Amino acid sequence: MNFNNNISIKKLTLLIFVIMYIIFFLITSLNLYSYSKYEFNKTEKLIENFNVSLSQQVVEKLNNISDVSKYPLLIPEVRNLYSILAADKPYDISEYNYLKYICDMMLIQNTSINGAYIYDLSGRGVSSTRNSSNDKLKNPKSEKWFIDSLNSNEFTSIFPNINASDIFEFTSQDSKQLIALARKIIDIKTKKVTGVLLITIPIDEIRNLLVKDHLPFNNQIVSIYDINGNLILTTGEESNVFIPTYDQLHNATTTPSIQYMDSNIEYIVSYNTIPSTSWIIVNSIPKSNAYHIDNLYIFSFIINITFFLILFIVLYIFFIKRIFNPLKFLIKNMESNVENNLNYKVSYTKNDEIGILMKSYNEMKSRISDLININYKSQIEQKELELKQLQNQINPHFIYNTLESIRMMAEINDDIETSTMSEYFGSITRYSMNRKINTVLLKEEISIIENYIYLQKIRFDQLFTIENLITSEILDCEIIKMIIQPLIENSIYHGLSECSGDGKIVIKGEHITENLVLTISDNGIGMDHVKLKKLNDYINDKNNDFSGTALRNINKRLKLNYGNDYGLEIHSILGKGTTMVLTIPYIVK
């Protein structure tokens, strides 16, 4: 009820139109969202199915190679194979031809195979290769694939990044990447490993499964990694390939997982392990290429939204011209700077309700102007009287002369401490009462601060220590006079006075960008965040919860002299201490 009473008719009308349009927009958008969600789910399912299908094709390819590797173990003369390998001696011509025959038979069984090799445990080997000029086998005892296959707990091991140089002593320049399947040859009777059988296929046999023409999305990149994150193959440039994280590699399962990755381009990334291997398929597709919503549907959505928007705008303009424009002129004048236009009379010729309001408004401004003039003159006279009263109370020369007399009497009586106190207090008084100077150099301010600290240490019986970390680099900076002393006084009386000892005040100055930042920190009692916020609000005239004026006056002086970007800010932790930060422009004379 209060809402309806307080809101203007113009705003209420606009609000009704906006609410009506928002409701229509939300319903239409929800419809579009439901449709797009359906398309998104369908696309994600397609991506998952692609990963599963590709995994099955890779597994089928590897299983075919694995089946071929079983051939030597299924022949009737397998005992002959075991005895040749277990003899651990150079092969004679018949043994060599027998092993060569087995390799040839494996090569014949699958056209994808380009090499078949049989080794004994000493690394002596026999091979049969397809379209290769390499003929001298390398002893593989020091090769990683040979060592890993023998140490593996599995009968077979797959090595995705082998090339001819890992197998032959001398290789041709065209030494392409190979995928190798190594099978341990185990004597069934003795259960001992007698040798290793190795079958290789070109990496292109797997890459042919990823031909770009067969990929369902534009700019789709399919990559296969091993469990250590080493790239086996990819359909894209290696510099553009999505690199899976450690968690993705080690948490991947045979069921595809989909994530949305945002770099320069937002990608949909689907990854899963290939069954029976430690390989991971990573399928990355730019989101813009994966998700497509029917253009006709989007066009219909835009037409409906635009039509109703135009309709509501036309209706609102009609209301403005017939209802709100007569009030607009009066509102504009009432919202102008009244203080500077109190004597300006708003002109309106019609005698309707707005004309009556205009006349009352002009009379009100005239009355306000008279009251302001009376009040302003009264305040000026009061300030002048207060100033004269203060000037008449104490003559600064009287203070200086009295302090000088005290100092001289102390020296006559050999009271050096009292003499020094009188001298320092006199310099502070002379410095602070010099109204001709508003700004001083930082080193002059520090000099007076040192006198003040000397007096306070005597007053508080060495309750605290002062550490001055201001470097010589900034001592010639210009600052407003007497802005540091009140902060130190505040630290002593409010921060350290309730401490039993070991109090410390640190004064620090820094040149940061174009600013001079002065900090006064203490290790006193501090304050909680509620009181700290109230204090910061107080020094910025947002409340009157405190009686002291020093901090508020410092903040006002800084803002009046340098602008609202500068001033005083206080930080504190209860029981730890307080830091007061002064930020002013870095000005060097």
Side-chain angles (χ1 to χ4, degrees):
M1 187 66 183
N2 291 333
F3 175 81
N4 294 333
N5 289 336
N6 295 333
I7 194 170
S8 67
I9 298 175
K10 182 178 180 180
K11 290 182 179 179
L12 183 60
T13 304
L14 178 60
L15 182 61
I16 292 173
F17 283 152
V18 169
I19 292 174
M20 292 173 62
Y21 183 77
I22 289 175
I23 293 173
F24 171 78
F25 181 86
L26 290 176
I27 293 174
T28 310
S29 299
L30 183 61
N31 188 20
L32 179 62
Y33 173 78
S34 300
Y35 175 76
S36 62
K37 190 68 176 176
Y38 166 77
E39 291 293 328
F40 290 171
N41 291 337
K42 185 171 71 174
T43 301
E44 287 185 353
K45 191 64 178 177
L46 176 62
I47 295 172
E48 291 175 353
N49 290 340
F50 173 84
N51 275 39
V52 172
S53 175
L54 181 58
S55 299
Q56 291 172 348
Q57 294 179 57
V58 174
V59 169
E60 183 179 353
K61 177 72 70 172
L62 296 177
N63 285 342
N64 290 338
I65 305 303
S66 179
D67 291 341
V68 172
S69 72
K70 297 176 184 177
Y71 167 77
L73 308 180
L74 300 177
I75 59 178
E77 303 86 1
V78 66
R79 294 302 310 168
N80 189 25
L81 173 65
Y82 293 153
S83 63
I84 292 173
L85 296 177
D88 193 19
K89 64 181 181 61
Y91 309 130
D92 60 29
I93 189 64
S94 62
E95 292 172 338
Y96 178 87
N97 288 336
Y98 177 72
L99 296 178
K100 177 74 172 175
Y101 165 75
I102 294 176
C103 292
D104 290 339
M105 292 303 296
M106 286 190 290
L107 205 65
I108 292 172
Q109 292 183 45
N110 193 310
T111 57
S112 296
I113 299 174
N114 69 344
Y117 313 83
I118 296 177
Y119 298 89
D120 62 16
L121 295 182
S122 296
R124 287 182 289 268
V126 177
S127 68
S128 177
T129 60
R130 195 190 309 274
N131 300 325
S132 174
S133 61
N134 304 319
D135 55 2
K136 187 175 181 180
L137 292 177
K138 179 188 292 187
N139 190 311
K141 289 185 68 176
S142 61
E143 296 295 325
K144 185 175 186 303
W145 69 264
F146 189 81
I147 297 171
D148 289 349
S149 62
L150 289 176
N151 294 333
S152 174
N153 294 325
E154 304 294 331
F155 292 110
T156 60
S157 302
I158 298 176
F159 302 95
N161 290 302
I162 284 184
N163 54 49
S165 63
D166 298 316
I167 301 173
F168 295 97
E169 289 285 352
F170 306 102
T171 61
S172 64
Q173 293 181 353
D174 186 19
S175 180
K176 295 183 179 179
Q177 181 182 352
L178 303 172
I179 294 178
L181 183 144
R183 177 182 290 276
K184 289 186 286 189
I185 302 175
I186 302 175
D187 190 326
I188 298 177
K189 290 185 176 181
T190 64
K191 307 297 183 182
K192 292 183 179 180
V193 177
T194 59
V196 175
L197 185 150
L198 182 71
I199 295 178
T200 61
I201 62 172
I203 193 70
D204 290 339
E205 290 292 327
I206 304 297
R207 185 177 284 110
N208 290 338
L209 302 175
L210 309 178
V211 177
K212 288 188 176 181
D213 294 340
H214 299 161
L215 300 179
F217 301 99
N218 293 331
N219 300 316
Q220 180 178 359
I221 298 177
V222 181
S223 307
I224 298 179
Y225 293 85
D226 63 20
I227 193 63
N228 296 317
N230 299 315
L231 180 65
I232 299 174
L233 61 90
T234 180
T235 61
E237 298 293 333
E238 287 197 26
S239 59
N240 298 328
V241 171
F242 173 81
I243 301 175
T245 64
Y246 177 87
D247 289 340
Q248 289 170 335
L249 287 172
H250 291 268
N251 296 331
T253 63
T254 55
T255 302
S257 298
I258 290 183
Q259 292 186 5
Y260 291 82
M261 305 295 177
D262 190 7
S263 54
N264 294 330
I265 302 175
E266 189 171 2
Y267 277 90
I268 305 170
V269 179
S270 177
Y271 57 92
N272 62 276
T273 58
I274 299 176
S276 304
T277 72
S278 60
W279 298 356
I280 293 92
I281 289 180
V282 179
N283 181 14
S284 56
I285 309 163
K287 189 176 180 181
S288 58
N289 293 118
Y291 293 138
H292 296 285
I293 301 177
D294 188 0
N295 291 333
L296 181 60
Y297 205 95
I298 296 177
F299 180 76
S300 175
F301 170 80
I302 295 174
I303 289 296
N304 288 335
I305 293 298
T306 305
F307 172 78
F308 279 93
L309 177 61
I310 294 173
L311 176 63
F312 286 140
I313 291 175
V314 170
L315 289 175
Y316 186 67
I317 291 174
F318 173 78
F319 275 44
I320 287 176
K321 289 184 176 180
R322 295 297 303 268
I323 299 174
F324 304 127
N325 274 351
L327 297 173
K328 185 178 180 179
F329 183 72
L330 175 61
I331 294 172
K332 183 178 179 180
N333 282 277
M334 295 183 71
E335 289 179 345
S336 62
N337 194 343
V338 178
E339 291 83 359
N340 296 330
N341 296 283
L342 289 175
N343 296 323
Y344 174 75
K345 302 298 182 182
V346 179
S347 175
Y348 191 82
T349 58
K350 296 181 181 180
N351 293 321
D352 54 12
E353 290 81 0
I354 297 178
I356 296 172
L357 290 174
M358 287 289 187
K359 181 179 179 181
S360 300
Y361 179 64
N362 287 332
E363 292 175 353
M364 179 186 67
K365 289 206 299 182
S366 178
R367 179 59 179 165
I368 290 174
S369 178
D370 294 338
L371 291 174
I372 288 176
N373 289 333
I374 294 172
N375 188 49
Y376 180 76
K377 290 179 180 179
S378 176
Q379 288 183 355
I380 291 294
E381 291 174 355
Q382 183 177 356
K383 291 294 182 183
E384 289 178 350
L385 289 173
E386 290 176 355
L387 181 59
K388 289 180 180 179
Q389 182 179 1
L390 289 173
Q391 291 174 342
N392 292 332
Q393 283 180 351
I394 300 177
N395 188 328
H397 290 289
F398 169 74
I399 296 176
Y400 304 152
N401 293 335
T402 302
L403 290 172
E404 182 64 20
S405 298
I406 294 172
R407 186 183 68 82
M408 292 176 64
M409 288 297 295
E411 288 185 357
I412 293 172
N413 294 324
D414 293 329
D415 190 349
I416 303 302
E417 187 174 50
T418 303
S419 175
T420 303
M421 290 175 63
S422 177
E423 179 183 355
Y424 284 3
F425 181 63
S427 64
I428 294 171
T429 305
R430 187 177 295 104
Y431 177 81
S432 62
M433 286 187 168
N434 188 351
R435 294 188 175 89
K436 295 180 181 180
I437 299 175
N438 184 44
T439 60
V440 295
L441 298 182
L442 178 58
K443 61 185 177 182
E444 296 173 356
E445 184 83 354
I446 294 300
S447 177
I448 292 300
I449 293 302
E450 290 175 349
N451 292 348
Y452 173 76
I453 291 170
Y454 174 83
L455 297 176
Q456 290 293 347
K457 282 186 175 182
I458 294 174
R459 160 69 175 83
F460 286 96
D461 192 21
Q462 305 299 326
L463 177 67
F464 61 90
T465 59
I466 297 285
E467 185 176 0
N468 186 350
L469 299 181
I470 294 178
T471 62
S472 58
E473 173 195 356
I474 61 174
L475 287 178
D476 289 328
C477 290
E478 181 184 278
I479 66 170
I480 298 175
K481 183 177 68 175
M482 294 298 289
I483 60 169
I484 299 179
Q485 180 273 331
L487 301 182
I488 295 177
E489 182 177 349
N490 192 78
S491 292
I492 294 172
Y493 283 92
H494 297 286
L496 302 176
S497 61
E498 297 183 17
C499 297
S500 60
D502 296 327
K504 187 174 183 179
I505 298 174
V506 178
I507 306 172
K508 186 177 180 182
E510 294 180 286
H511 180 191
I512 301 177
T513 62
E514 300 298 324
N515 296 331
L516 173 63
V517 179
L518 298 171
T519 58
I520 291 85
S521 305
D522 65 68
N523 61 349
I525 60 174
M527 64 188 82
D528 57 44
H529 68 278
V530 176
K531 185 177 180 181
L532 177 63
K533 184 180 185 306
K534 288 182 178 181
L535 182 57
N536 277 306
D537 287 344
Y538 170 75
I539 65 175
N540 286 285
D541 293 327
K542 294 181 180 179
N543 65 46
N544 290 299
D545 295 344
F546 298 86
S547 59
T549 61
L551 299 182
R552 177 181 279 185
N553 287 345
I554 290 173
N555 192 47
K556 284 183 178 179
R557 289 172 67 192
L558 293 177
K559 291 185 182 298
L560 286 173
N561 277 271
Y562 304 122
N564 289 328
D565 293 335
Y566 303 94
L568 171 64
E569 187 175 2
I570 302 174
H571 308 274
S572 186
I573 299 176
L574 185 63
K576 299 294 184 180
T578 301
T579 297
M580 291 168 282
V581 182
L582 291 169
T583 305
I584 62 176
Y586 187 82
I587 302 172
V588 178
K589 285 189 174 181

